[in-house]
Amino acid sequence: MLEISIEQLPLYSSVFEFEINQKLVDGFQKSFRTSSRQIPPTLGVRALTCMFELLNRLEVDWMKLLHVQQDFEYLDSLHLPCQVRSQAILERYRKRATSHWLNFTTNIYEVSSNNLLLRSHSTILIAETGGAE
Amino acid sequence: MNEKFPSFDLDPITKEQILDYADASGDHNKIHLDPDFARAAGLPNVIAHGMLSMGLAASALEKWKISPNTLLKFESKFKEKVFPGETLRAEFISETELPTGHKLITWNLLKADGTEVLQARAEIG
């Protein structure tokens, strides 16, 4: 992957906008093989498209992925349907001898109110050469 | 067996389920969908999305009757790849009270042979 200098940080993705509606929720719940119609806690993954845009821009080779840690913070309630926008920020980058550490924050806002609904933190470790296995 | 948070088995992961998750999440990376691509990358088969495993881990919250309205934070550390045909089990580890008065619940998602797929943590308010 491309190396990043401290001066380049923070690095921002494009803004990504999409609708969260019952159809999207049902699609997730179908994939989890449940009959629940509740909003799944991991639905925010849909907003991580903007983080993947940054990762692609950095030419990350997914076969060299060593470690991922992901969390979601729930900051405000979400009512369906809801138009949201998200933007990912690469806040921290460290290059070690054999690996790249990347720390992203992705904020997800309700478009109409501008309320911050959800914040995602992603820690990704990519090997310099070779892969995880 | 913890009575408040009983362990439970999930249905075996299927290729159709991975495809359904790709459609829902918008992640159509070939490593999840194309067996030839996965084999060329040195894997025995396609792999399930890590976030599919995280979503399955989250199903424990509903099973354990934790209201989604009380969920403040949900975190996963990914430990192992999951392949179609594998069966996962959710196993409670601990419940602790934080200085804020919130509860922190920790559990694992395990393969049938006990391999840890991910560790999940939920902060409940």
Side-chain angles (χ1 to χ4, degrees), chain A residues 38-43 72-77 117-118, chain B residues 54 58-59 61-62 66-75 102-105 107 121-125:
Chain A
Q38 287 182 2
I39 299 170
T42 56
L43 188 135
F72 294 107
E73 274 181 87
Y74 308 96
L75 303 168
D76 206 346
S77 50
L117 300 174
L118 187 66
Chain B
M54 188 176 181
S59 67
L61 297 168
E62 198 169 345
I66 294 167
S67 165
N69 298 330
T70 63
L71 185 62
L72 299 173
K73 193 171 181 182
F74 179 46
E75 176 185 309
H102 299 159
K103 296 262 173 71
L104 188 67
I105 299 170
W107 69 103
R121 295 202 308 178
E123 187 178 335
I124 310 295

Coordinates of all heavy atoms in Angstrom, one line a residue, chain A residues 38-43 72-77 117-118, chain B residues 54 58-59 61-62 66-75 102-105 107 121-125:
Chain A
Q38 N -35.9 -5.5 13.7 CA -35.2 -4.5 14.3 C -34.0 -4.0 13.5 O -33.4 -4.8 12.8 CB -34.7 -4.9 15.7 CG -35.8 -5.1 16.7 CD -35.2 -5.5 18.1 OE1 -34.0 -5.7 18.2 NE2 -36.1 -5.8 19.0
I39 N -33.6 -2.8 13.7 CA -32.4 -2.3 13.1 C -31.2 -3.0 13.7 O -31.0 -3.0 14.9 CB -32.2 -0.8 13.3 CG1 -33.4 -0.1 12.7 CG2 -30.9 -0.3 12.7 CD1 -33.5 1.4 13.0
P40 N -30.4 -3.8 12.9 CA -29.3 -4.5 13.5 C -28.2 -3.5 13.9 O -27.9 -2.5 13.2 CB -28.8 -5.4 12.4 CG -29.3 -4.8 11.1 CD -30.5 -4.0 11.5
P41 N -27.5 -3.8 15.0 CA -26.4 -2.9 15.5 C -25.3 -2.6 14.5 O -24.6 -1.7 14.6 CB -25.9 -3.6 16.8 CG -27.0 -4.5 17.2 CD -27.7 -4.9 15.9
T42 N -25.2 -3.6 13.5 CA -24.0 -3.4 12.6 C -24.5 -2.8 11.3 O -23.7 -2.8 10.3 CB -23.4 -4.8 12.3 OG1 -24.4 -5.7 11.9 CG2 -22.8 -5.4 13.6
L43 N -25.7 -2.3 11.2 CA -26.1 -1.7 9.9 C -25.2 -0.6 9.5 O -25.1 -0.3 8.3 CB -27.6 -1.2 10.1 CG -28.2 -0.8 8.8 CD1 -29.7 -1.3 8.7 CD2 -28.3 0.8 8.7
F72 N -18.9 0.4 17.0 CA -19.9 1.4 16.6 C -20.3 2.0 18.0 O -20.6 1.3 18.9 CB -21.1 0.7 16.0 CG -20.8 0.2 14.6 CD1 -20.7 -1.2 14.4 CD2 -20.6 1.0 13.5 CE1 -20.5 -1.7 13.1 CE2 -20.4 0.5 12.3 CZ -20.3 -0.9 12.1
E73 N -20.4 3.3 18.0 CA -21.0 4.1 19.1 C -22.3 4.6 18.7 O -22.4 5.3 17.6 CB -20.1 5.3 19.4 CG -19.0 5.0 20.4 CD -18.2 6.3 20.6 OE1 -18.6 7.0 21.5 OE2 -17.3 6.6 19.8
Y74 N -23.4 4.3 19.5 CA -24.7 4.8 19.1 C -25.0 6.1 19.9 O -25.1 6.1 21.1 CB -25.7 3.6 19.5 CG -25.2 2.3 18.9 CD1 -24.5 1.4 19.6 CD2 -25.5 2.1 17.5 CE1 -24.0 0.3 19.0 CE2 -25.0 0.9 16.9 CZ -24.3 0.0 17.7 OH -23.8 -1.1 17.1
L75 N -25.2 7.1 19.2 CA -25.2 8.5 19.8 C -26.6 9.1 19.8 O -26.9 10.0 20.6 CB -24.2 9.4 19.1 CG -22.8 8.8 19.1 CD1 -21.9 9.6 18.2 CD2 -22.2 8.9 20.5
D76 N -27.4 8.7 18.9 CA -28.8 9.2 18.8 C -29.7 8.2 18.2 O -29.2 7.3 17.4 CB -28.8 10.5 18.0 CG -30.0 11.4 18.4 OD1 -30.9 11.0 19.1 OD2 -29.9 12.6 18.0
S77 N -31.0 8.2 18.5 CA -31.9 7.2 17.9 C -32.2 7.5 16.4 O -32.1 8.6 16.0 CB -33.2 7.2 18.7 OG -33.7 8.5 18.9
L117 N -25.6 10.4 14.5 CA -26.3 9.2 14.9 C -25.4 8.2 15.4 O -25.6 7.5 16.4 CB -27.1 8.7 13.8 CG -28.2 9.6 13.1 CD1 -28.8 8.9 11.9 CD2 -29.3 9.9 14.2
L118 N -24.3 8.0 14.7 CA -23.4 6.8 14.9 C -22.0 7.2 14.5 O -21.7 8.0 13.6 CB -23.9 5.8 13.9 CG -23.4 4.4 13.9 CD1 -23.8 3.7 15.2 CD2 -24.0 3.6 12.7
Chain B
M54 N -19.8 -10.3 12.7 CA -20.1 -9.3 13.7 C -21.6 -9.2 13.9 O -22.1 -9.1 15.0 CB -19.4 -8.0 13.4 CG -19.5 -7.0 14.5 SD -18.6 -5.5 14.1 CE -18.9 -4.5 15.6
A58 N -24.0 -10.0 17.1 CA -24.9 -9.1 17.7 C -26.3 -9.7 17.9 O -27.1 -9.2 18.7 CB -25.0 -7.9 16.7
S59 N -26.6 -10.8 17.2 CA -27.9 -11.4 17.4 C -28.0 -11.9 18.8 O -29.1 -12.2 19.3 CB -28.1 -12.6 16.4 OG -27.2 -13.6 16.6
L61 N -27.5 -10.2 21.4 CA -28.2 -9.2 22.2 C -29.7 -9.3 22.2 O -30.3 -9.2 23.3 CB -27.8 -7.8 21.6 CG -26.3 -7.5 21.7 CD1 -26.0 -6.2 20.9 CD2 -25.9 -7.3 23.1
E62 N -30.3 -9.7 21.0 CA -31.7 -9.9 21.0 C -32.1 -11.2 21.7 O -33.1 -11.2 22.4 CB -32.1 -9.9 19.5 CG -33.6 -9.7 19.3 CD -34.0 -9.5 17.9 OE1 -33.2 -9.2 17.0 OE2 -35.2 -9.6 17.6
I66 N -31.7 -8.0 25.4 CA -31.1 -6.7 25.7 C -31.7 -5.7 24.7 O -31.6 -5.9 23.5 CB -29.6 -6.7 25.6 CG1 -29.0 -7.6 26.7 CG2 -29.0 -5.3 25.6 CD1 -27.6 -8.0 26.5
S67 N -32.4 -4.7 25.2 CA -33.1 -3.7 24.4 C -32.1 -3.0 23.5 O -31.1 -2.4 24.0 CB -33.9 -2.8 25.2 OG -34.3 -1.7 24.4
P68 N -32.4 -2.8 22.2 CA -31.5 -2.1 21.3 C -31.4 -0.6 21.8 O -30.4 0.1 21.5 CB -32.1 -2.2 20.0 CG -33.4 -2.8 20.1 CD -33.5 -3.4 21.5
N69 N -32.4 -0.1 22.5 CA -32.4 1.3 22.9 C -31.4 1.5 24.0 O -31.0 2.7 24.3 CB -33.8 1.7 23.4 CG -34.8 1.6 22.4 OD1 -34.5 1.8 21.2 ND2 -36.0 1.3 22.8
T70 N -30.9 0.4 24.7 CA -29.9 0.6 25.7 C -28.5 0.4 25.3 O -27.5 0.6 26.0 CB -30.2 -0.4 26.9 OG1 -30.0 -1.7 26.4 CG2 -31.6 -0.2 27.4
L71 N -28.3 0.0 24.0 CA -27.0 -0.2 23.5 C -26.2 1.1 23.2 O -26.7 1.9 22.4 CB -27.1 -1.1 22.2 CG -25.8 -1.6 21.5 CD1 -25.0 -2.5 22.5 CD2 -26.1 -2.3 20.2
L72 N -25.1 1.2 23.8 CA -24.3 2.5 23.7 C -23.1 2.2 22.7 O -22.7 3.1 22.0 CB -23.8 2.9 25.0 CG -24.9 3.3 26.1 CD1 -24.2 3.5 27.4 CD2 -25.7 4.5 25.6
K73 N -22.6 1.0 22.8 CA -21.4 0.8 22.0 C -21.3 -0.7 21.7 O -21.6 -1.5 22.6 CB -20.1 1.2 22.8 CG -18.9 1.3 21.9 CD -17.8 2.0 22.7 CE -16.5 2.0 21.9 NZ -15.4 2.7 22.6
F74 N -20.9 -1.1 20.6 CA -20.7 -2.5 20.2 C -19.4 -2.7 19.5 O -19.1 -1.9 18.5 CB -21.9 -3.0 19.3 CG -21.8 -4.4 18.9 CD1 -21.5 -5.4 19.8 CD2 -22.0 -4.8 17.6 CE1 -21.4 -6.7 19.4 CE2 -22.0 -6.1 17.2 CZ -21.7 -7.1 18.1
E75 N -18.6 -3.6 20.0 CA -17.2 -3.7 19.5 C -16.8 -5.1 19.1 O -17.3 -6.1 19.8 CB -16.2 -3.2 20.6 CG -14.8 -3.3 20.2 CD -13.9 -2.9 21.4 OE1 -14.1 -1.8 22.0 OE2 -13.0 -3.7 21.8
H102 N -22.8 1.9 33.7 CA -23.1 1.1 32.5 C -22.6 -0.4 32.7 O -21.7 -0.6 33.5 CB -22.5 1.6 31.2 CG -23.0 3.0 30.9 ND1 -22.3 3.9 30.1 CD2 -24.0 3.7 31.3 CE1 -22.9 5.0 30.0 NE2 -24.0 5.0 30.8
K103 N -23.2 -1.3 32.0 CA -22.7 -2.7 32.0 C -21.9 -3.0 30.7 O -22.2 -2.5 29.6 CB -24.0 -3.6 32.0 CG -24.8 -3.5 33.3 CD -24.5 -4.6 34.2 CE -25.2 -4.4 35.6 NZ -26.6 -4.7 35.5
L104 N -20.9 -3.8 30.9 CA -20.1 -4.2 29.8 C -20.2 -5.8 29.7 O -19.9 -6.5 30.6 CB -18.6 -3.9 30.0 CG -17.7 -4.1 28.8 CD1 -18.1 -3.2 27.6 CD2 -16.2 -3.9 29.2
I105 N -20.8 -6.2 28.6 CA -21.0 -7.6 28.3 C -20.0 -8.1 27.3 O -19.9 -7.5 26.2 CB -22.5 -7.9 27.9 CG1 -23.4 -7.4 29.0 CG2 -22.7 -9.4 27.6 CD1 -24.9 -7.4 28.6
W107 N -18.6 -11.5 25.0 CA -18.9 -12.9 24.6 C -18.0 -13.2 23.4 O -17.5 -12.3 22.7 CB -20.4 -13.1 24.3 CG -21.0 -12.4 23.2 CD1 -21.3 -13.0 22.0 CD2 -21.4 -11.1 23.1 NE1 -21.9 -12.0 21.2 CE2 -22.0 -10.9 21.8 CE3 -21.4 -10.0 24.0 CZ2 -22.5 -9.6 21.4 CZ3 -21.9 -8.8 23.6 CH2 -22.5 -8.6 22.3
R121 N -18.0 -7.1 22.4 CA -18.2 -6.4 23.7 C -19.3 -5.4 23.4 O -19.3 -4.7 22.4 CB -17.0 -5.7 24.1 CG -15.8 -6.6 24.5 CD -14.8 -5.9 25.4 NE -14.4 -4.6 25.0 CZ -13.5 -3.9 25.7 NH1 -13.1 -4.3 26.9 NH2 -13.1 -2.7 25.2
A122 N -20.3 -5.4 24.3 CA -21.4 -4.4 24.2 C -21.4 -3.6 25.5 O -21.4 -4.2 26.6 CB -22.7 -5.1 24.0
E123 N -21.5 -2.3 25.4 CA -21.7 -1.4 26.5 C -23.2 -1.1 26.6 O -23.7 -0.6 25.6 CB -20.8 -0.2 26.4 CG -20.9 0.7 27.7 CD -20.0 1.9 27.6 OE1 -19.0 1.9 26.8 OE2 -20.3 2.9 28.3
I124 N -23.8 -1.3 27.7 CA -25.3 -1.2 27.8 C -25.5 -0.1 28.9 O -25.0 -0.1 30.0 CB -25.9 -2.5 28.3 CG1 -25.4 -3.7 27.5 CG2 -27.4 -2.4 28.3 CD1 -25.9 -3.7 26.0
G125 N -26.4 0.9 28.5 CA -26.7 2.0 29.4 C -28.0 1.8 30.2 O -28.8 0.9 29.9

